Amino acid sequence: MTVHTLNELLLACSLVLLVAVAAVRISSRSGLPSLLLYLGIGIVLGQDGLFDVKFDNAELTQVIGYAALVVILAEGGLGTKWKEVRPALPAAALLSTVGVGVSVGVTASAAHYLVGLEWRQALIIGAVVSSTDAAAVFSVLRKVPLPSRITGVLEAESGFNDAPVVILVVAFSAVGPVEHWYVLIGEIALELAIGAAIGLAVGWLGSFGLRHVALPASGLYPIAVMAIAVSAYAAGAMAHGSGFLAVYLAAMILGNSKLPHWPATRGFADGLGWLAQIGMFVLLGLLVTPHDLIDDFWPAVVVGLVLTAVARPLSVFISLAPFRLPRREKALMSWAGLRGAVPIILATIPMVSGIEGSTRVFNIVFVLVIVYTLIQGPTLPWLARALRIGDDPSEASDLGIESAPLERLRGHLLSVAIPGKSKMHGVEVGELRLPSGAAVTLVVRDGTSFVPAPSTVLRRGDELLVVATDPVRDAAEARLRAVAEGGKLAGWLGTGAQGGKDIAPLVDVPHVMKLAKKLGKGGEGRPGGTKAHH
């Protein structure tokens, strides 16, 4: 490759990225998932487009798509909150196994009897479109936040159901007869168990190491976190387990550990996730030939209609039957089963395997994803409002805390950002009641920094610098989160760091007794005296 050609390639890539970044803004305003805009960029660049770029390498697309999917799952796992996902794990597990089975059976039957596809092709389509995409779901729900019990189920489902779906697609795309259903169930269970074990082990070891080994530069922490997550996928795949489940679980453990420089790590992973989505969707847009989609448009509409109106609701209501969830929440989960990158990537597996009719399968999946994302995406926030499902606007936002270790000083520097809905607003610094060994040393407000007094009232948008010694670092962070959730009376009213666990040291019983005696004697503790009543 000449320098001139390399310069042209770099210029083209930078222009594509700039257009894709602008597409994110359009997506956030219009409510459409960004994947449609990225696919559009690829179609415009590719065959039948303005630039007529010839690209038909399905194997390369599959490899790059797998790599991008690993990064996307890692980014999703890092952003998954354990306290929201933990109650949803049983429901998500059933949706990812029983729900996938129901969806595959119903969709494959429709593809065979209504569209006329052979059973192998019908089963491949049924398996491919049974995987949901969390990125597509939450990109249209930014303005309509859902309760944690719903987001937890949808988020965990999207992270878990990729693994069994990949196993099914690979099995259906293998040369020769398809294995019996009970053999497939056994293989799925074994691969999921291996992947889960490896993901949990790698995630725990990685978080332990990052907490106890100080890296020489803060910029190395985001790289180390992503490297650990990707290594979980590699280890899981090499052990003949589910690498996708391994990377998601490992990332989830890392994301819920108290790692140094966490906001920087989260931002780095978010940027990588966007880059992976942009590159993957543009490449998929290049792979498709638009004029070949015309013949497969109506078959895709029919299969998608059965999937959306029958298969997905059945899978949700059957899987969640053991749980006492309102029907309106199940209805929203049924409509929230958006398809995104994963189905299109998985549709390249039969193409690489040389399965007869695989090109038609890819075209049907491609059209299905585009058409029903256009329908479901913009209407999902409307449906959530119509069903009166949404978070209480008064609910406190999560407190952003970044921790930087001070190795030689045997302490930690906590950077605390107070969000708009935090109940820390209006609380005085002295009312934080941080443990001995921790103190608020600096407040940044409206671009101005000052050293606070105990009577300084905190406000929304403030950023605090809290210095804590090693022994009380965890207790200080727990106390800050407790006040953010419960206000100045946190601890007295049973509000702990996790929103429900009492923190006994926060209630100083001897101090309360002394205060009661002073009040009884009419001392300085009476109203109008000191601020001891706080």
Side-chain angles (χ1 to χ4, degrees), residues 354-387:
I355 299 298
E356 183 180 357
S358 58
T359 302
R360 190 184 184 196
V361 169
F362 179 85
N363 291 339
I364 291 176
V365 172
F366 193 91
V367 173
L368 187 153
V369 169
I370 291 179
V371 170
Y372 285 92
T373 301
L374 281 171
I375 295 174
Q376 292 177 271
T379 58
L380 192 53
W382 172 85
L383 180 62
R385 290 190 292 266
L387 294 175

PDB file of all heavy atoms in Angstrom, residues 354-387:
ATOM      1  N   GLY A 354     -21.462 -21.992   4.079  1.00  0.00           N
ATOM      2  CA  GLY A 354     -21.877 -22.445   2.757  1.00  0.00           C
ATOM      3  C   GLY A 354     -23.223 -23.137   2.743  1.00  0.00           C
ATOM      4  O   GLY A 354     -23.487 -23.974   1.867  1.00  0.00           O
ATOM      5  N   ILE A 355     -24.113 -22.801   3.677  1.00  0.00           N
ATOM      6  CA  ILE A 355     -25.442 -23.402   3.719  1.00  0.00           C
ATOM      7  C   ILE A 355     -26.272 -22.885   2.537  1.00  0.00           C
ATOM      8  O   ILE A 355     -26.259 -21.691   2.231  1.00  0.00           O
ATOM      9  CB  ILE A 355     -26.134 -23.080   5.058  1.00  0.00           C
ATOM     10  CG1 ILE A 355     -25.320 -23.654   6.227  1.00  0.00           C
ATOM     11  CG2 ILE A 355     -27.550 -23.622   5.084  1.00  0.00           C
ATOM     12  CD1 ILE A 355     -25.176 -25.143   6.205  1.00  0.00           C
ATOM     13  N   GLU A 356     -26.999 -23.775   1.902  1.00  0.00           N
ATOM     14  CA  GLU A 356     -27.834 -23.404   0.775  1.00  0.00           C
ATOM     15  C   GLU A 356     -28.916 -22.408   1.211  1.00  0.00           C
ATOM     16  O   GLU A 356     -29.588 -22.603   2.217  1.00  0.00           O
ATOM     17  CB  GLU A 356     -28.492 -24.656   0.178  1.00  0.00           C
ATOM     18  CG  GLU A 356     -29.329 -24.366  -1.063  1.00  0.00           C
ATOM     19  CD  GLU A 356     -29.957 -25.628  -1.622  1.00  0.00           C
ATOM     20  OE1 GLU A 356     -29.682 -26.716  -1.063  1.00  0.00           O
ATOM     21  OE2 GLU A 356     -30.732 -25.516  -2.594  1.00  0.00           O
ATOM     22  N   GLY A 357     -29.065 -21.337   0.430  1.00  0.00           N
ATOM     23  CA  GLY A 357     -30.050 -20.310   0.743  1.00  0.00           C
ATOM     24  C   GLY A 357     -29.618 -19.345   1.830  1.00  0.00           C
ATOM     25  O   GLY A 357     -30.446 -18.576   2.329  1.00  0.00           O
ATOM     26  N   SER A 358     -28.323 -19.358   2.200  1.00  0.00           N
ATOM     27  CA  SER A 358     -27.861 -18.500   3.297  1.00  0.00           C
ATOM     28  C   SER A 358     -27.930 -17.022   2.929  1.00  0.00           C
ATOM     29  O   SER A 358     -28.165 -16.176   3.801  1.00  0.00           O
ATOM     30  CB  SER A 358     -26.434 -18.874   3.688  1.00  0.00           C
ATOM     31  OG  SER A 358     -25.556 -18.768   2.577  1.00  0.00           O
ATOM     32  N   THR A 359     -27.746 -16.688   1.639  1.00  0.00           N
ATOM     33  CA  THR A 359     -27.847 -15.284   1.230  1.00  0.00           C
ATOM     34  C   THR A 359     -29.255 -14.755   1.441  1.00  0.00           C
ATOM     35  O   THR A 359     -29.464 -13.623   1.887  1.00  0.00           O
ATOM     36  CB  THR A 359     -27.439 -15.125  -0.239  1.00  0.00           C
ATOM     37  OG1 THR A 359     -26.104 -15.597  -0.415  1.00  0.00           O
ATOM     38  CG2 THR A 359     -27.513 -13.661  -0.663  1.00  0.00           C
ATOM     39  N   ARG A 360     -30.250 -15.590   1.132  1.00  0.00           N
ATOM     40  CA  ARG A 360     -31.633 -15.183   1.358  1.00  0.00           C
ATOM     41  C   ARG A 360     -31.917 -15.028   2.847  1.00  0.00           C
ATOM     42  O   ARG A 360     -32.647 -14.117   3.257  1.00  0.00           O
ATOM     43  CB  ARG A 360     -32.590 -16.198   0.734  1.00  0.00           C
ATOM     44  CG  ARG A 360     -34.019 -15.700   0.727  1.00  0.00           C
ATOM     45  CD  ARG A 360     -35.002 -16.710   0.205  1.00  0.00           C
ATOM     46  NE  ARG A 360     -36.345 -16.132   0.127  1.00  0.00           N
ATOM     47  CZ  ARG A 360     -37.452 -16.828   0.009  1.00  0.00           C
ATOM     48  NH1 ARG A 360     -37.400 -18.157  -0.082  1.00  0.00           N
ATOM     49  NH2 ARG A 360     -38.626 -16.220  -0.047  1.00  0.00           N
ATOM     50  N   VAL A 361     -31.363 -15.901   3.665  1.00  0.00           N
ATOM     51  CA  VAL A 361     -31.520 -15.784   5.114  1.00  0.00           C
ATOM     52  C   VAL A 361     -30.964 -14.449   5.593  1.00  0.00           C
ATOM     53  O   VAL A 361     -31.597 -13.737   6.388  1.00  0.00           O
ATOM     54  CB  VAL A 361     -30.822 -16.959   5.831  1.00  0.00           C
ATOM     55  CG1 VAL A 361     -30.754 -16.701   7.332  1.00  0.00           C
ATOM     56  CG2 VAL A 361     -31.550 -18.256   5.550  1.00  0.00           C
ATOM     57  N   PHE A 362     -29.769 -14.090   5.105  1.00  0.00           N
ATOM     58  CA  PHE A 362     -29.154 -12.816   5.501  1.00  0.00           C
ATOM     59  C   PHE A 362     -30.032 -11.646   5.084  1.00  0.00           C
ATOM     60  O   PHE A 362     -30.243 -10.707   5.866  1.00  0.00           O
ATOM     61  CB  PHE A 362     -27.771 -12.688   4.864  1.00  0.00           C
ATOM     62  CG  PHE A 362     -27.059 -11.406   5.199  1.00  0.00           C
ATOM     63  CD1 PHE A 362     -26.317 -11.287   6.359  1.00  0.00           C
ATOM     64  CD2 PHE A 362     -27.147 -10.305   4.353  1.00  0.00           C
ATOM     65  CE1 PHE A 362     -25.667 -10.103   6.672  1.00  0.00           C
ATOM     66  CE2 PHE A 362     -26.506  -9.118   4.659  1.00  0.00           C
ATOM     67  CZ  PHE A 362     -25.756  -9.020   5.817  1.00  0.00           C
ATOM     68  N   ASN A 363     -30.560 -11.676   3.854  1.00  0.00           N
ATOM     69  CA  ASN A 363     -31.393 -10.571   3.376  1.00  0.00           C
ATOM     70  C   ASN A 363     -32.677 -10.434   4.193  1.00  0.00           C
ATOM     71  O   ASN A 363     -33.108  -9.322   4.527  1.00  0.00           O
ATOM     72  CB  ASN A 363     -31.739 -10.782   1.904  1.00  0.00           C
ATOM     73  CG  ASN A 363     -30.526 -10.641   1.000  1.00  0.00           C
ATOM     74  OD1 ASN A 363     -29.531 -10.017   1.377  1.00  0.00           O
ATOM     75  ND2 ASN A 363     -30.599 -11.231  -0.184  1.00  0.00           N
ATOM     76  N   ILE A 364     -33.297 -11.569   4.532  1.00  0.00           N
ATOM     77  CA  ILE A 364     -34.525 -11.522   5.336  1.00  0.00           C
ATOM     78  C   ILE A 364     -34.251 -10.938   6.708  1.00  0.00           C
ATOM     79  O   ILE A 364     -35.008 -10.084   7.206  1.00  0.00           O
ATOM     80  CB  ILE A 364     -35.145 -12.930   5.444  1.00  0.00           C
ATOM     81  CG1 ILE A 364     -35.705 -13.375   4.083  1.00  0.00           C
ATOM     82  CG2 ILE A 364     -36.243 -12.959   6.503  1.00  0.00           C
ATOM     83  CD1 ILE A 364     -36.247 -14.790   4.078  1.00  0.00           C
ATOM     84  N   VAL A 365     -33.171 -11.366   7.333  1.00  0.00           N
ATOM     85  CA  VAL A 365     -32.822 -10.847   8.661  1.00  0.00           C
ATOM     86  C   VAL A 365     -32.510  -9.360   8.583  1.00  0.00           C
ATOM     87  O   VAL A 365     -32.934  -8.569   9.443  1.00  0.00           O
ATOM     88  CB  VAL A 365     -31.631 -11.630   9.238  1.00  0.00           C
ATOM     89  CG1 VAL A 365     -31.127 -10.979  10.519  1.00  0.00           C
ATOM     90  CG2 VAL A 365     -32.023 -13.070   9.503  1.00  0.00           C
ATOM     91  N   PHE A 366     -31.784  -8.948   7.555  1.00  0.00           N
ATOM     92  CA  PHE A 366     -31.415  -7.545   7.408  1.00  0.00           C
ATOM     93  C   PHE A 366     -32.666  -6.671   7.293  1.00  0.00           C
ATOM     94  O   PHE A 366     -32.812  -5.653   7.988  1.00  0.00           O
ATOM     95  CB  PHE A 366     -30.534  -7.382   6.169  1.00  0.00           C
ATOM     96  CG  PHE A 366     -29.838  -6.054   6.076  1.00  0.00           C
ATOM     97  CD1 PHE A 366     -28.585  -5.868   6.610  1.00  0.00           C
ATOM     98  CD2 PHE A 366     -30.457  -4.975   5.458  1.00  0.00           C
ATOM     99  CE1 PHE A 366     -27.943  -4.637   6.528  1.00  0.00           C
ATOM    100  CE2 PHE A 366     -29.837  -3.748   5.374  1.00  0.00           C
ATOM    101  CZ  PHE A 366     -28.570  -3.575   5.907  1.00  0.00           C
ATOM    102  N   VAL A 367     -33.584  -7.059   6.416  1.00  0.00           N
ATOM    103  CA  VAL A 367     -34.813  -6.277   6.229  1.00  0.00           C
ATOM    104  C   VAL A 367     -35.656  -6.291   7.499  1.00  0.00           C
ATOM    105  O   VAL A 367     -36.216  -5.261   7.913  1.00  0.00           O
ATOM    106  CB  VAL A 367     -35.618  -6.831   5.036  1.00  0.00           C
ATOM    107  CG1 VAL A 367     -36.976  -6.137   4.944  1.00  0.00           C
ATOM    108  CG2 VAL A 367     -34.850  -6.660   3.735  1.00  0.00           C
ATOM    109  N   LEU A 368     -35.743  -7.441   8.143  1.00  0.00           N
ATOM    110  CA  LEU A 368     -36.541  -7.563   9.368  1.00  0.00           C
ATOM    111  C   LEU A 368     -36.037  -6.610  10.444  1.00  0.00           C
ATOM    112  O   LEU A 368     -36.837  -5.920  11.102  1.00  0.00           O
ATOM    113  CB  LEU A 368     -36.501  -9.011   9.852  1.00  0.00           C
ATOM    114  CG  LEU A 368     -37.391  -9.412  11.032  1.00  0.00           C
ATOM    115  CD1 LEU A 368     -37.722 -10.904  10.943  1.00  0.00           C
ATOM    116  CD2 LEU A 368     -36.714  -9.142  12.371  1.00  0.00           C
ATOM    117  N   VAL A 369     -34.731  -6.582  10.649  1.00  0.00           N
ATOM    118  CA  VAL A 369     -34.159  -5.717  11.683  1.00  0.00           C
ATOM    119  C   VAL A 369     -34.458  -4.256  11.385  1.00  0.00           C
ATOM    120  O   VAL A 369     -34.866  -3.491  12.276  1.00  0.00           O
ATOM    121  CB  VAL A 369     -32.635  -5.957  11.795  1.00  0.00           C
ATOM    122  CG1 VAL A 369     -31.986  -4.881  12.667  1.00  0.00           C
ATOM    123  CG2 VAL A 369     -32.354  -7.326  12.376  1.00  0.00           C
ATOM    124  N   ILE A 370     -34.289  -3.836  10.143  1.00  0.00           N
ATOM    125  CA  ILE A 370     -34.507  -2.433   9.794  1.00  0.00           C
ATOM    126  C   ILE A 370     -35.987  -2.053   9.941  1.00  0.00           C
ATOM    127  O   ILE A 370     -36.328  -1.044  10.577  1.00  0.00           O
ATOM    128  CB  ILE A 370     -34.029  -2.152   8.353  1.00  0.00           C
ATOM    129  CG1 ILE A 370     -32.506  -2.252   8.274  1.00  0.00           C
ATOM    130  CG2 ILE A 370     -34.471  -0.764   7.902  1.00  0.00           C
ATOM    131  CD1 ILE A 370     -31.937  -2.006   6.903  1.00  0.00           C
ATOM    132  N   VAL A 371     -36.875  -2.849   9.359  1.00  0.00           N
ATOM    133  CA  VAL A 371     -38.301  -2.501   9.354  1.00  0.00           C
ATOM    134  C   VAL A 371     -38.858  -2.438  10.767  1.00  0.00           C
ATOM    135  O   VAL A 371     -39.530  -1.452  11.147  1.00  0.00           O
ATOM    136  CB  VAL A 371     -39.094  -3.509   8.498  1.00  0.00           C
ATOM    137  CG1 VAL A 371     -40.588  -3.303   8.685  1.00  0.00           C
ATOM    138  CG2 VAL A 371     -38.714  -3.375   7.032  1.00  0.00           C
ATOM    139  N   TYR A 372     -38.584  -3.448  11.572  1.00  0.00           N
ATOM    140  CA  TYR A 372     -39.223  -3.495  12.889  1.00  0.00           C
ATOM    141  C   TYR A 372     -38.503  -2.636  13.923  1.00  0.00           C
ATOM    142  O   TYR A 372     -39.096  -2.270  14.932  1.00  0.00           O
ATOM    143  CB  TYR A 372     -39.363  -4.948  13.344  1.00  0.00           C
ATOM    144  CG  TYR A 372     -40.485  -5.628  12.597  1.00  0.00           C
ATOM    145  CD1 TYR A 372     -40.235  -6.318  11.415  1.00  0.00           C
ATOM    146  CD2 TYR A 372     -41.793  -5.506  13.013  1.00  0.00           C
ATOM    147  CE1 TYR A 372     -41.267  -6.901  10.695  1.00  0.00           C
ATOM    148  CE2 TYR A 372     -42.833  -6.078  12.301  1.00  0.00           C
ATOM    149  CZ  TYR A 372     -42.563  -6.778  11.145  1.00  0.00           C
ATOM    150  OH  TYR A 372     -43.597  -7.330  10.431  1.00  0.00           O
ATOM    151  N   THR A 373     -37.259  -2.269  13.652  1.00  0.00           N
ATOM    152  CA  THR A 373     -36.627  -1.266  14.502  1.00  0.00           C
ATOM    153  C   THR A 373     -37.233   0.103  14.231  1.00  0.00           C
ATOM    154  O   THR A 373     -37.421   0.906  15.149  1.00  0.00           O
ATOM    155  CB  THR A 373     -35.111  -1.230  14.261  1.00  0.00           C
ATOM    156  OG1 THR A 373     -34.558  -2.517  14.538  1.00  0.00           O
ATOM    157  CG2 THR A 373     -34.443  -0.208  15.166  1.00  0.00           C
ATOM    158  N   LEU A 374     -37.537   0.373  12.955  1.00  0.00           N
ATOM    159  CA  LEU A 374     -38.226   1.622  12.615  1.00  0.00           C
ATOM    160  C   LEU A 374     -39.599   1.710  13.266  1.00  0.00           C
ATOM    161  O   LEU A 374     -40.065   2.798  13.625  1.00  0.00           O
ATOM    162  CB  LEU A 374     -38.364   1.739  11.097  1.00  0.00           C
ATOM    163  CG  LEU A 374     -37.132   2.206  10.317  1.00  0.00           C
ATOM    164  CD1 LEU A 374     -37.365   2.057   8.827  1.00  0.00           C
ATOM    165  CD2 LEU A 374     -36.788   3.639  10.673  1.00  0.00           C
ATOM    166  N   ILE A 375     -40.263   0.570  13.431  1.00  0.00           N
ATOM    167  CA  ILE A 375     -41.608   0.561  14.031  1.00  0.00           C
ATOM    168  C   ILE A 375     -41.528   0.580  15.554  1.00  0.00           C
ATOM    169  O   ILE A 375     -42.193   1.387  16.218  1.00  0.00           O
ATOM    170  CB  ILE A 375     -42.396  -0.673  13.551  1.00  0.00           C
ATOM    171  CG1 ILE A 375     -42.641  -0.594  12.034  1.00  0.00           C
ATOM    172  CG2 ILE A 375     -43.727  -0.784  14.300  1.00  0.00           C
ATOM    173  CD1 ILE A 375     -43.281  -1.844  11.466  1.00  0.00           C
ATOM    174  N   GLN A 376     -40.707  -0.300  16.114  1.00  0.00           N
ATOM    175  CA  GLN A 376     -40.665  -0.438  17.572  1.00  0.00           C
ATOM    176  C   GLN A 376     -39.894   0.676  18.248  1.00  0.00           C
ATOM    177  O   GLN A 376     -40.271   1.117  19.342  1.00  0.00           O
ATOM    178  CB  GLN A 376     -40.041  -1.793  17.939  1.00  0.00           C
ATOM    179  CG  GLN A 376     -40.897  -2.992  17.570  1.00  0.00           C
ATOM    180  CD  GLN A 376     -40.181  -4.295  17.885  1.00  0.00           C
ATOM    181  OE1 GLN A 376     -39.458  -4.820  17.049  1.00  0.00           O
ATOM    182  NE2 GLN A 376     -40.378  -4.797  19.093  1.00  0.00           N
ATOM    183  N   GLY A 377     -38.801   1.122  17.642  1.00  0.00           N
ATOM    184  CA  GLY A 377     -37.957   2.116  18.282  1.00  0.00           C
ATOM    185  C   GLY A 377     -38.681   3.384  18.680  1.00  0.00           C
ATOM    186  O   GLY A 377     -38.738   3.741  19.862  1.00  0.00           O
ATOM    187  N   PRO A 378     -39.278   4.110  17.723  1.00  0.00           N
ATOM    188  CA  PRO A 378     -39.949   5.368  18.089  1.00  0.00           C
ATOM    189  C   PRO A 378     -41.183   5.170  18.959  1.00  0.00           C
ATOM    190  O   PRO A 378     -41.581   6.092  19.687  1.00  0.00           O
ATOM    191  CB  PRO A 378     -40.335   5.960  16.723  1.00  0.00           C
ATOM    192  CG  PRO A 378     -39.424   5.301  15.739  1.00  0.00           C
ATOM    193  CD  PRO A 378     -39.213   3.916  16.272  1.00  0.00           C
ATOM    194  N   THR A 379     -41.843   4.014  18.879  1.00  0.00           N
ATOM    195  CA  THR A 379     -43.086   3.815  19.637  1.00  0.00           C
ATOM    196  C   THR A 379     -42.843   3.275  21.046  1.00  0.00           C
ATOM    197  O   THR A 379     -43.774   3.264  21.861  1.00  0.00           O
ATOM    198  CB  THR A 379     -44.005   2.836  18.897  1.00  0.00           C
ATOM    199  OG1 THR A 379     -43.333   1.581  18.701  1.00  0.00           O
ATOM    200  CG2 THR A 379     -44.416   3.394  17.545  1.00  0.00           C
ATOM    201  N   LEU A 380     -41.622   2.847  21.346  1.00  0.00           N
ATOM    202  CA  LEU A 380     -41.356   2.264  22.660  1.00  0.00           C
ATOM    203  C   LEU A 380     -41.506   3.278  23.794  1.00  0.00           C
ATOM    204  O   LEU A 380     -42.158   2.982  24.803  1.00  0.00           O
ATOM    205  CB  LEU A 380     -39.965   1.632  22.661  1.00  0.00           C
ATOM    206  CG  LEU A 380     -39.623   0.724  23.843  1.00  0.00           C
ATOM    207  CD1 LEU A 380     -40.672  -0.355  24.030  1.00  0.00           C
ATOM    208  CD2 LEU A 380     -38.255   0.089  23.624  1.00  0.00           C
ATOM    209  N   PRO A 381     -40.936   4.485  23.696  1.00  0.00           N
ATOM    210  CA  PRO A 381     -41.183   5.471  24.756  1.00  0.00           C
ATOM    211  C   PRO A 381     -42.666   5.819  24.896  1.00  0.00           C
ATOM    212  O   PRO A 381     -43.163   6.008  26.012  1.00  0.00           O
ATOM    213  CB  PRO A 381     -40.369   6.695  24.296  1.00  0.00           C
ATOM    214  CG  PRO A 381     -39.338   6.145  23.379  1.00  0.00           C
ATOM    215  CD  PRO A 381     -39.995   4.998  22.688  1.00  0.00           C
ATOM    216  N   TRP A 382     -43.385   5.932  23.758  1.00  0.00           N
ATOM    217  CA  TRP A 382     -44.816   6.219  23.813  1.00  0.00           C
ATOM    218  C   TRP A 382     -45.565   5.125  24.555  1.00  0.00           C
ATOM    219  O   TRP A 382     -46.462   5.395  25.359  1.00  0.00           O
ATOM    220  CB  TRP A 382     -45.364   6.364  22.395  1.00  0.00           C
ATOM    221  CG  TRP A 382     -46.856   6.474  22.361  1.00  0.00           C
ATOM    222  CD1 TRP A 382     -47.614   7.598  22.518  1.00  0.00           C
ATOM    223  CD2 TRP A 382     -47.784   5.392  22.184  1.00  0.00           C
ATOM    224  NE1 TRP A 382     -48.960   7.300  22.452  1.00  0.00           N
ATOM    225  CE2 TRP A 382     -49.093   5.945  22.246  1.00  0.00           C
ATOM    226  CE3 TRP A 382     -47.638   4.025  21.980  1.00  0.00           C
ATOM    227  CZ2 TRP A 382     -50.233   5.162  22.115  1.00  0.00           C
ATOM    228  CZ3 TRP A 382     -48.784   3.248  21.847  1.00  0.00           C
ATOM    229  CH2 TRP A 382     -50.055   3.810  21.913  1.00  0.00           C
ATOM    230  N   LEU A 383     -45.216   3.854  24.279  1.00  0.00           N
ATOM    231  CA  LEU A 383     -45.889   2.741  24.951  1.00  0.00           C
ATOM    232  C   LEU A 383     -45.614   2.760  26.452  1.00  0.00           C
ATOM    233  O   LEU A 383     -46.514   2.481  27.259  1.00  0.00           O
ATOM    234  CB  LEU A 383     -45.426   1.416  24.338  1.00  0.00           C
ATOM    235  CG  LEU A 383     -46.053   0.151  24.934  1.00  0.00           C
ATOM    236  CD1 LEU A 383     -47.559   0.154  24.729  1.00  0.00           C
ATOM    237  CD2 LEU A 383     -45.434  -1.103  24.318  1.00  0.00           C
ATOM    238  N   ALA A 384     -44.370   3.070  26.839  1.00  0.00           N
ATOM    239  CA  ALA A 384     -44.044   3.141  28.267  1.00  0.00           C
ATOM    240  C   ALA A 384     -44.879   4.201  28.971  1.00  0.00           C
ATOM    241  O   ALA A 384     -45.364   3.993  30.083  1.00  0.00           O
ATOM    242  CB  ALA A 384     -42.545   3.423  28.441  1.00  0.00           C
ATOM    243  N   ARG A 385     -45.072   5.337  28.309  1.00  0.00           N
ATOM    244  CA  ARG A 385     -45.901   6.389  28.907  1.00  0.00           C
ATOM    245  C   ARG A 385     -47.371   5.990  28.921  1.00  0.00           C
ATOM    246  O   ARG A 385     -48.098   6.274  29.877  1.00  0.00           O
ATOM    247  CB  ARG A 385     -45.706   7.702  28.152  1.00  0.00           C
ATOM    248  CG  ARG A 385     -44.349   8.349  28.358  1.00  0.00           C
ATOM    249  CD  ARG A 385     -44.325   9.751  27.793  1.00  0.00           C
ATOM    250  NE  ARG A 385     -44.425   9.738  26.333  1.00  0.00           N
ATOM    251  CZ  ARG A 385     -43.385   9.751  25.508  1.00  0.00           C
ATOM    252  NH1 ARG A 385     -42.150   9.768  26.016  1.00  0.00           N
ATOM    253  NH2 ARG A 385     -43.559   9.748  24.206  1.00  0.00           N
ATOM    254  N   ALA A 386     -47.830   5.338  27.840  1.00  0.00           N
ATOM    255  CA  ALA A 386     -49.229   4.925  27.773  1.00  0.00           C
ATOM    256  C   ALA A 386     -49.565   3.900  28.843  1.00  0.00           C
ATOM    257  O   ALA A 386     -50.668   3.894  29.402  1.00  0.00           O
ATOM    258  CB  ALA A 386     -49.543   4.365  26.386  1.00  0.00           C
ATOM    259  N   LEU A 387     -48.602   3.016  29.133  1.00  0.00           N
ATOM    260  CA  LEU A 387     -48.809   2.005  30.173  1.00  0.00           C
ATOM    261  C   LEU A 387     -48.507   2.533  31.566  1.00  0.00           C
ATOM    262  O   LEU A 387     -48.605   1.805  32.551  1.00  0.00           O
ATOM    263  CB  LEU A 387     -47.925   0.783  29.884  1.00  0.00           C
ATOM    264  CG  LEU A 387     -48.270  -0.012  28.612  1.00  0.00           C
ATOM    265  CD1 LEU A 387     -47.242  -1.116  28.382  1.00  0.00           C
ATOM    266  CD2 LEU A 387     -49.670  -0.614  28.718  1.00  0.00           C
TER     267      LEU A 387
END
